[in-house]
Amino acid sequence: MASRILPISKIAILSLFICVALVSADKEEEEYGLVRDGDDKKHFLGHKMEKLSHFRFYWHDTYSGKNPSAVTIVKPPANHTTMTGFGTVTAFDDPLTAKPELSSKLLGRAEGFYAVSSQEEFSLLIAMNFVFLQGKYNGSTISIFGRNRVPDKVRELPVIGGSGLFRFARGYAQVSTYSYDTASGDAVAEYNVYLLHY
């Protein structure tokens, strides 16, 4: 009866190949900046403590005028009509101001799109970046993605990330409609953003 056990020399060679493969994989990860060790987090974050920030600003979504900040880019097919405008997609580059008046201090821009995502109620799927243009936050962004049920007095949207001074950001935004023009579709919304970041 032949033995099914590998000779010691073959086991040693097989072990050597496995070790070489693991070392090569580690070197490849280092070259591409991939890190597995959780201890590197302290170095990467520069020993910074996580903090909670609250930002309040006003979002101006304007369809009217010669230079609108919101433009419908997709309309539903003619044979598919709903009371909500289901399927409509709008791109926007909206000013963010310190006060409800458009003439107040410009803090940044909201860039993104929203789609009417419900057939029964006026609810939007919204994806956007708040791009800050003032002070120490200039160039930093906050990313938001979520459901915005417009008829609700206060809506809550998740913060899914950020860049610049908002790296590793997480939190939520509370949105309330400040004003809405039914004829033009122009709207002003108040955003209160609560953010955990480093």
Side-chain angles (χ1 to χ4, degrees), residues 5-180:
I5 300 173
L6 290 173
I8 292 177
S9 60
K10 288 184 179 177
I11 292 173
I13 291 171
L14 183 59
S15 297
L16 180 63
F17 281 135
I18 291 171
C19 289
V20 168
L22 290 174
V23 168
S24 296
D26 284 344
K27 283 186 179 179
E28 187 175 319
E29 286 186 354
E30 286 175 16
E31 286 176 21
Y32 288 96
L34 301 175
V35 178
R36 281 193 256 174
D37 187 355
D39 292 338
D40 288 333
K41 182 169 71 170
K42 290 179 184 175
H43 174 71
F44 186 69
L45 297 176
H47 301 284
K48 290 183 180 179
M49 294 293 291
E50 193 171 37
K51 58 188 172 185
L52 174 66
S53 295
H54 172 216
F55 300 93
R56 183 176 67 191
F57 42 77
Y58 293 85
W59 179 81
H60 299 264
D61 199 44
T62 307
Y63 284 90
S64 64
K66 293 181 179 178
N67 190 24
S69 64
V71 178
T72 299
I73 54 173
V74 176
K75 292 185 178 180
N79 64 348
H80 185 78
T81 57
T82 64
M83 293 294 291
T84 64
F86 173 67
T88 304
V89 180
T90 299
F92 59 87
D93 178 12
D94 292 337
L96 300 173
T97 60
K99 294 182 180 178
E101 298 77 26
L102 185 57
S103 58
S104 67
K105 183 178 181 180
L106 180 69
L107 301 177
R109 311 286 304 183
E111 300 172 348
F113 68 89
Y114 50 78
V116 180
S117 53
S118 175
Q119 297 187 68
E120 288 82 35
E121 57 187 5
F122 191 50
S123 178
L124 306 174
L125 171 67
I126 189 164
M128 67 179 156
N129 287 314
F130 293 138
V131 183
F132 293 96
L133 304 172
Q134 298 292 335
K136 70 176 183 177
Y137 300 116
N138 185 18
S140 297
T141 66
I142 297 172
S143 299
I144 295 208
F145 183 86
R147 181 178 189 254
N148 185 351
R149 188 179 180 277
V150 178
D152 291 348
K153 185 175 180 181
V154 178
R155 289 89 73 189
E156 190 171 292
L157 299 170
V159 171
I160 60 168
S163 68
L165 292 180
F166 301 123
R167 291 177 188 138
F168 295 104
R170 66 190 195 282
Y172 64 96
Q174 290 183 326
V175 188
S176 56
T177 302
Y178 181 82
S179 65
Y180 177 69

